[in-house]
Amino acid sequence: AQKVTQAQTEISVVEKEDVTLDCVYETRDTTYYLFWYKQPPSGELVFLIRRNSFDEQNEISGRYSWNFQKSTSSFNFTITASQVVDSAVYFCALSGGFKTIFGAGTRLFVKA
Amino acid sequence: SAVISQKPSRDICQRGTSLTIQCQVDSQVTMMFWYRQQPGQSLTLIATANQGSEATYESGFVIDKFPISRPNLTFSTLTVSNMSPEDSSIYLCSVIPTLDYGYTFGSGTRLTVV
């Protein structure tokens, strides 16, 4: 069975701090995709990144970076120099086919 | 990536009534997905809607409660029937990812049942 665990329910940081959101997954599939989504208070889901199981390269996009490690089944997300606008719920998701399993989400508060 | 228009964006409904949510995609897609997000919770898949066939429902969701239509490759509706306060949630439609992109979601329908 597939499973996504986001152990951090809530994280609170002060603006300009770096913060890492953890994601651990379980799957028996050899081919799968991992995603991160942001859900701001407005409620819509904003796609951040997709990574397939054969691509373990870390990725950096502006202040965002992702660390994918198959050996530990983790796909962690780091925000560098956090800003108030980063306050949102962040979901990690796993797809082994046409179904996607979402983690419980991590609520990030960035205080000015 | 596909662009999804979902409406209504929010509604307040009386218990016992039904609400139909519409999802329009700007391109043809084979599979569309309907999710529910209860307050403070993660997303749960309700069903997968394929054009020309019956929707496939996940465990805990039944067609009588959440009938789905998929008349063509760009449109789908989800009806929440005989609503109770427990149905108060955000309902989202989604389409399968395209190359190098994730699943695209509609902006969601925030439903409150009173």
Side-chain angles (χ1 to χ4, degrees), chain A residues 78-92:
Chain A
T78 297
I79 301 174
T80 302
S82 60
Q83 299 176 1
V84 172
V85 293
D86 295 327
S87 296
V89 180
Y90 291 86
F91 291 99
C92 179

Side-chain angles (χ1 to χ4, degrees), chain A residues 34-52:
Chain A
L34 295 163
F35 306 85
W36 276 96
Y37 286 88
K38 173 182 180 180
Q39 188 175 44
S42 59
E44 62 186 89
L45 277 166
V46 179
F47 166 77
L48 295 178
I49 190 171
R50 157 180 158 158
R51 178 63 82 229
N52 73 55

